[in-house]
Amino acid sequence: MRGYFVEFGFIIASWLVCGSTVAIAQNYSGSESCQGCHQEIYEQYQKSGHPYKIQAVKGAPPSYPPGTSPGVPHPPLDEDWKTISYVIGGFGWKARFMDQEGYILTGANRQYNLPNSNLGTDAHWVAYEGSELSRKPYTCGDCHTTGWVATGADGPHQDGLPGIHGTWVGPGVTCEACHGASAAHVASPKEFKPTTEENCGSCHSRGDPHQIDAKGGLIRHHEQYEDLLASPHKALACGTCHDPHKSTVYQAGGYLGDDKTCKSCHQNVEIKLAAKADVACQTCHMPHAVKSATSTTVTFADGSVPKGDLRTHIHRISTDPNWKMFTDDGNFVRVDDEGKAYLTLDHACLTCHVNKDRKWAQTHAEKVH
């Protein structure tokens, strides 16, 4: 069964191994059963990254919907598609690979980073977990599959592959990963209703929800929940700004737009100094301070700052020149005594105003509005 606890309106979920995986699977109907009644939502969801968190390749490259991911053209150069069982991801940022025994390939040139137009980077290979060629068990099913039950090294194993330390009902994050097992709902729609409570925080978080993990001067990926808890918007649900069935990339409409989000509350806030520039609220308040796959370094007049491939959800900007965004060891985002996190001016201002310095940013930041 699946256990839940709620914090700030988010449902955090964990699978409890209770009974057989067969019994668990019987409670599921599969996302295709949702299509008949929810055709439009189903089609939107199919063009998001959720269904492609893990895909069986069956001797051929993984497939993605037209107009979305450019795809993963080939596996690591010392492998071919016949030696790969599953591809992890590959929709918006990166792909990793599992061998024929279900282990994740690690080492040099094991992660394929997709091209990123925002950073101006081409597709390229990077190391995953060090440079020594090796592999590790797949234990990521809680956020990459539906109906995951962690079983450990002794199994049972999905598809009988010893490297997969668990089983799932379906690969990828499907309808029932968020709305719950729905076989009863399909059989009797009026009597049994699927949950509509938000479940985003169960995957878009890492470890302690009150610590924002960081590395190399950027926030680590899937920290959106922690970001939000340390932001001025901690009481807001994700659905306030996002359509959970749509992608936020490939112009799919996952972000509802400034008029339906920021401006619905901040009606009297006007961008003045930058009124003629191509900026929106998120340009400054949600800079690319997060790294999922790749990053670049932006050099400005008196320093430099890394720029990641994801936007942060911290939102709050500090103009204090002495505030440091990260802890001294670089492992976490710094918060004040009230648990509030702050973006620094190098991320908020100087990734665009590269011919200016920190003093200029401090002088002009508060004049923007």
Side-chain angles (χ1 to χ4, degrees), residues 35-119:
Q35 184 178 5
C37 296
H38 307 282
Q39 179 69 34
E40 183 177 356
I41 290 176
Y42 180 83
E43 290 178 357
Q44 293 169 347
Y45 142 82
Q46 284 291 335
K47 295 180 181 178
S48 75
H50 282 137
Y52 312 101
K53 292 299 180 183
I54 182 171
Q55 284 192 77
V57 297
K58 299 178 181 178
S63 60
Y64 304 90
T68 64
S69 172
V72 183
H74 54 80
L77 295 180
D78 59 338
E79 305 283 344
D80 60 44
W81 290 120
K82 294 180 180 179
T83 65
I84 301 297
S85 58
Y86 285 91
V87 169
I88 305 169
F91 181 79
W93 291 271
K94 63 194 176 192
R96 294 169 182 162
F97 305 84
M98 295 162 64
D99 66 18
Q100 280 295 317
E101 291 188 311
Y103 290 94
I104 305 173
L105 297 174
T106 63
N109 298 319
R110 289 314 203 203
Q111 176 176 301
Y112 178 77
N113 288 345
L114 274 65
N116 189 293
S117 58
N118 177 60
L119 297 179

Side-chain angles (χ1 to χ4, degrees), residues 119 216-218 287-289 295-308 325-326 344-354 358:
L119 297 179
L218 292 167
H288 289 82
S295 64
T296 57
T297 299
V298 177
T299 301
F300 48 88
D302 63 345
S304 62
V305 63
K307 181 179 181 180
M325 184 171 166
F326 300 99
T344 45
L345 295 174
D346 50 0
H347 283 286
C349 306
L350 298 174
T351 53
C352 291
H353 295 281
V354 294
R358 290 184 177 90

Side-chain angles (χ1 to χ4, degrees), residues 101-154:
E101 291 188 311
Y103 290 94
I104 305 173
L105 297 174
T106 63
N109 298 319
R110 289 314 203 203
Q111 176 176 301
Y112 178 77
N113 288 345
L114 274 65
N116 189 293
S117 58
N118 177 60
L119 297 179
T121 56
D122 295 327
H124 59 283
W125 290 90
V126 295
Y128 173 54
E129 300 222 340
S131 59
E132 298 252 344
L133 294 183
S134 186
R135 60 184 190 170
K136 70 174 189 176
Y138 181 82
T139 58
C140 317
D142 216 21
C143 293
H144 283 248
T145 71
T146 301
W148 171 258
V149 176
T151 58
D154 294 331

Side-chain angles (χ1 to χ4, degrees), residues 303-325:
S304 62
V305 63
K307 181 179 181 180
D309 51 6
L310 285 174
R311 294 188 182 276
T312 176
H313 287 68
I314 289 176
H315 301 119
R316 186 187 289 112
I317 301 170
S318 172
T319 57
D320 180 355
N322 297 316
W323 180 261
K324 295 181 180 179
M325 184 171 166

Side-chain angles (χ1 to χ4, degrees), residues 233-256:
H233 302 128
K234 66 181 182 181
L236 297 182
C238 301
T240 306
C241 300
H242 292 280
D243 183 332
H245 299 111
K246 296 180 180 180
S247 174
T248 58
V249 294
Y250 306 123
Q251 299 179 330
Y255 170 60
L256 300 179

Side-chain angles (χ1 to χ4, degrees), residues 255-266:
Y255 170 60
L256 300 179
D258 287 358
D259 288 342
K260 294 181 179 179
T261 58
C262 312
K263 294 179 182 179
S264 64
C265 292
H266 303 282

